[in-house]
Amino acid sequence: MIEVLDRDSRSVSQLDEEGDIAADYIEELLDIADLDGDIDITTKNGRAYVSVNDGDGADGGLSLLSRPETVNALQELTRLAVQNKTGEFSRLILDIGGSREARTEQLRVMVEKAVSKIEAGSEREAFPAMSSYERKLVHDFVSEAGFHSESEGEGRGRHIVISPLS
């Protein structure tokens, strides 16, 4: 059998393993917290994606965990759990109760507002610090809008600045 490799040289089976480890970790966390949720695992663009959603449409308490700061913290803990089992850094993405979709829409609106300010004469617009995944989304939105973006700063202070194309 030929194993297909993704962009960072991880095979699909390796990403599936990351997703399974992450799902087990999240399932244990939900059990400890006495919360209900359905867990879905997918892989795309060189990452394992783990989504936790209310199974029956009722709020099984996931709203408590779906705040962006909480999801980011749980994502980091889950990545550490995966790394502990595999010995490899994980680029896993965790979504709880649709929080990633909501954040993606917030980022899209932020880009639209910044683009409007640049079209009105601003030379550049800076965004607040954000994760590498969020920065990638913003870079994509800015590019789609026909503007230039670049990341500035280091570590937790890394952020994006957009400007007109030169």
Side-chain angles (χ1 to χ4, degrees), residues 45-160:
N45 301 326
R47 294 178 188 251
Y49 286 76
V50 176
S51 299
V52 183
N53 294 296
D54 290 319
D56 57 8
D59 182 3
L62 291 183
S63 60
L64 298 170
L65 300 178
S66 65
R67 290 182 33 230
E69 303 82 19
T70 306
V71 174
N72 285 337
L74 290 172
Q75 177 176 279
E76 289 308 311
L77 290 171
T78 305
R79 285 178 172 178
L80 288 172
V82 170
Q83 183 175 342
N84 187 45
K85 291 245 181 172
T86 65
E88 300 285 330
F89 174 76
S90 173
R91 296 176 57 224
L92 165 112
I93 299 295
L94 177 65
D95 179 38
I96 299 177
S99 62
R100 292 289 174 191
E101 186 175 317
R103 180 62 174 155
T104 298
E105 187 55 33
Q106 285 177 335
L107 294 172
R108 184 185 314 277
V109 168
M110 288 171 63
V111 168
E112 290 171 359
K113 288 179 180 178
V115 163
S116 293
K117 288 179 181 179
I118 290 173
E119 289 174 337
S122 178
E123 289 184 31
R124 52 188 262 144
E125 289 293 317
F127 287 77
M130 56 186 70
S131 71
S132 61
Y133 178 73
E134 290 176 339
R135 288 194 311 272
K136 187 213 177 300
L137 292 174
V138 170
H139 284 302
D140 290 347
F141 296 148
V142 170
S143 177
E144 288 171 11
F147 288 79
H148 172 75
S149 63
E150 60 184 73
S151 293
E152 294 182 353
E154 298 295 325
R156 292 188 181 272
R158 196 145 173 85
H159 63 280
I160 292 179

Side-chain angles (χ1 to χ4, degrees), residues 18-56:
E18 281 188 20
D20 289 341
I21 293 167
D24 289 345
Y25 179 80
I26 293 296
E27 188 172 1
E28 287 181 36
L29 178 113
L30 292 175
D31 286 346
I32 290 168
D34 197 27
L35 298 173
D36 294 322
D38 290 338
I39 300 175
D40 296 314
I41 307 166
T42 57
T43 59
K44 63 182 176 185
N45 301 326
R47 294 178 188 251
Y49 286 76
V50 176
S51 299
V52 183
N53 294 296
D54 290 319
D56 57 8

